Amino acid sequence: MRNTFLLLSLFFYWSISSQVSNPVKIDSIETENLEKVIVTGTRTKRTLASLPLNAEIITKKDIQRNNSSKLSDIINEQTGLITIPDFGGVEGIQMQGLDSQYTLILLDNQPLIGRSAGTFDLNRVTLGNVNQIEIIRGASSSLYGNEALAGVVNIISEKPKEGFSSAISSSIETNNTFENNANLSFKRNDIYISIFYNIFSSDGYDLNPNDELRTVNKFNNSTSSLNFGFKINNRLNADINFRKFDQKIDNISTNNLSGESEIKEKNTHFKIKYESDLFSSQLNYYVSNYNTYEYLNDISGNLFSDSYYDHNLQKPELINTINLKKSKIVFGLGYKSEKLERTYFNEKPRLNTPFVYLQYDQFLNKKINIIYGARFDKFSEYKSQVSPKLSGTYQINDKNSLKFSLGYGFK
């Protein structure tokens, strides 16, 4: 039976931003040449200072400054965000005081699946080819669905610059911990391609040698990605992205049992976008598979137990944006199809969810910006739901603004 959960998110706060040297102009939503531009909060490009939401951007410079290699490393450095390990040692993010199952993790605007007891392991995401991380605190279910009740973390990959570039880096730490990154990219006129590869391994460690378990077991994992894009004409362009993650961990249990845990993840994202001054339309088709297998053998090498988990997601989505003089209208519709197979399940659960959402982003004048939005999800196995949201900002002066956001959803 589905659990029903009502979340009411309301915040008022002062925002003092050093990026704002002039009052926010009515056409500030069109600004694309400033350093901190965010797309997660409204599905349109907005400068961070003008966004009427509780949001922040972690830039590539921030990642390099903190010498962060995994998503968990950089999240731990952010105020108000907490990473908490579950019973299996998986590190998830806690936002707005809610469990990690209520925070949506996106990679280039598409959801990453595969959770352990509702927790997404942040160590599965490497930062070697990340340009910035966008964080939205507060209910975002009006755009992204009920998985975003606490907020959204969106990891944005780095896009190639004109010409050819390459980078290789390595790090060595205690416990035979090694990490290697390789980046290759090429862009010429209307076509680009980028390749990224990361490998990370460690012998692990044990903080309590008196018990039979190790604090961190020996592991090795790798992440590879291929991004390819081209411009069809001045208004139409296409992109296709592939990502693959593999991990193996020594599986050591009590009573002289040992084995191995394995994770395989694959993501494919195809996007075609049309843009004009008045209107833009983007068609996405996203496919993701998350597969795990683990086993334990006894001291004689005989199989004691094994289990598997196989989660598949397909998500076509169409996003349309109308650019008016003092406002923007975003209209989206799509379809999520999920199926799950796992040990001890007699049936193969399936969930099909058509959805539609609408957002109106309006500048009432030079000082006041209001965003109205709502989303409708029609679940095949649960009761349908509507997720509304209202947010706004009042620009007091050049560096001070008052912002609010109100929304709710069900889980």
Side-chain angles (χ1 to χ4, degrees), residues 37-88:
V37 174
I38 187 168
V39 298
T40 307
T42 61
R43 297 255 188 174
T44 59
K45 290 183 178 180
R46 291 286 301 264
T47 59
L48 180 61
S50 72
L51 189 70
L53 296 169
N54 188 357
E56 67 177 297
I57 292 177
I58 303 171
T59 65
K60 187 175 184 65
K61 289 183 179 180
D62 296 328
I63 295 171
Q64 294 172 339
R65 189 182 303 115
N66 286 278
N67 196 27
S68 303
S69 63
K70 299 297 179 184
L71 184 57
S72 58
D73 298 334
I74 195 69
I75 291 297
N76 277 321
E77 300 294 326
Q78 308 309 306
T79 303
L81 301 181
I82 304 172
T83 58
I84 299 178
D86 68 4
F87 63 89

Side-chain angles (χ1 to χ4, degrees), residues 251 257 293-298 302-307 344:
N251 192 6
L257 299 175
Y293 175 74
E294 62 180 14
Y295 69 88
L296 286 172
N297 292 336
D298 59 25
N302 299 314
L303 182 65
F304 176 80
S305 67
D306 66 344
S307 63
Y344 312 124

Side-chain angles (χ1 to χ4, degrees), residues 225-240:
S225 66
L226 171 65
N227 302 323
F228 175 72
F230 58 95
K231 183 179 289 187
I232 301 171
N233 55 46
N234 289 334
R235 298 190 182 277
L236 195 64
N237 58 77
D239 300 86
I240 186 165

